[in-house]
Amino acid sequence: MPFLGTGPILGSGSPTTEGIKMKNRVRKLVMGVAALATLALGGATVASAVSNGNGDAQRSDETALTGDTATKVKDAALAKTGGGTVERVETDGDGHAAYEAHVLKSDGTHVTVYVNKQFEVVGTESGRQGGPRHARGDETALTGDTATKVKDAALAKTGGGTVERVETDGDGHAAYEAHVLKSDGTHVTVYVNKQFEVVGTESGR
C-alpha cells in the first residue's frame, strides 16, 4: 500500500490558516459597518432632539409673518388684548384663522389672538403650547416684599420688560432669580443676592 503521509488532506473541509484570516477580516469589516450605522442613527436621534426644542418655537407648518401683514396682525392683536408684548406673528396651522399672534400681557398671561385675512380678530385663546417654564421642584416662588425687591432689581438691570416670575435659585448662582421678557422678545434670567443686588444675568430660559 502506498504511503499517504500525515499532512492535511485538501478538500476534506479542514480550515486553512488563510481561510481563518479571511473570515476574521470579513467579521471585522461587518462589525465596523454596524458600528458606523449605530453612530449615524445616534447622531440623528440627538439632532432630532435638539431640533424639537421647546413649545415656544414656531411650528414647521406655520410661517412667520413679515412686512405690512405682520404689522396689521400685531396691531389687531394688541387692540384686542389691550396692550402687551407681541412675541411672534405667524400663519395659523390649526385652521382657526389665517393668522395668529402670540401676546404676553402685562399681568404675565399669554394670549393667542386669531386674525382673519381682513385683519379682524375672530377669536382668542389663553395660554400657549409649552407656555412659560414653571418653577422647578427645587425652587420656590417669591412673595411679598422679597418678590417686589427682586422684581425691581431685575427690571433696573434689564432696562424694563415684563417679569414673568421670581423665585429662589436652585442652581446656586444667587439667592434669587427673576425671569424677564424684554420688549424685543428676548428672555433674560437675572440673579439677585440676599441684599437685592444683581450678581449676574443669563440670556434665554
Side-chain angles (χ1 to χ4, degrees):
M1 178 181 293
F3 179 69
L4 298 176
T6 59
I9 302 174
L10 295 178
S12 66
S14 300
T16 64
T17 301
E18 191 61 35
I20 292 172
K21 287 182 180 179
M22 179 62 71
K23 286 182 180 180
N24 286 339
R25 280 196 290 269
V26 171
R27 187 180 294 113
K28 288 179 181 179
L29 179 61
V30 171
M31 289 175 67
V33 171
L36 287 173
T38 301
L39 285 173
L41 288 173
T45 302
V46 171
S48 175
V50 171
S51 65
N52 286 341
N54 56 39
D56 294 343
Q58 181 181 306
R59 289 166 26 176
S60 59
D61 58 345
E62 296 179 336
T63 305
L65 303 180
T66 59
D68 191 49
T69 300
T71 299
K72 289 181 177 179
V73 171
K74 288 179 183 179
D75 290 345
L78 292 176
K80 181 65 177 179
T81 60
T85 301
V86 177
E87 297 185 304
R88 68 184 190 275
V89 289
E90 59 204 0
T91 56
D92 174 32
D94 294 315
H96 299 293
Y99 314 117
E100 63 184 30
H102 297 266
V103 181
L104 175 64
K105 297 179 66 176
S106 57
D107 62 1
T109 58
H110 289 88
V111 179
T112 301
V113 182
Y114 298 105
V115 180
N116 65 18
K117 288 189 176 182
Q118 289 72 45
F119 304 107
E120 301 165 336
V121 173
V122 295
T124 63
E125 183 180 358
S126 297
R128 60 177 177 180
Q129 183 182 5
R133 192 188 70 180
H134 298 293
R136 293 167 10 186
D138 59 346
E139 296 178 336
T140 304
L142 304 181
T143 59
D145 190 50
T146 300
T148 300
K149 289 181 177 180
V150 171
K151 287 179 182 178
D152 290 344
L155 291 176
K157 181 64 176 179
T158 60
T162 301
V163 177
E164 296 186 306
R165 67 185 191 278
V166 288
E167 59 204 2
T168 57
D169 173 33
D171 294 316
H173 299 294
Y176 314 116
E177 63 184 30
H179 297 265
V180 180
L181 175 65
K182 298 179 66 176
S183 58
D184 62 0
T186 58
H187 290 89
V188 180
T189 302
V190 182
Y191 299 105
V192 180
N193 65 17
K194 288 189 176 182
Q195 289 73 46
F196 304 108
E197 301 165 336
V198 173
V199 295
T201 62
E202 183 180 1
S203 297
R205 60 173 182 178

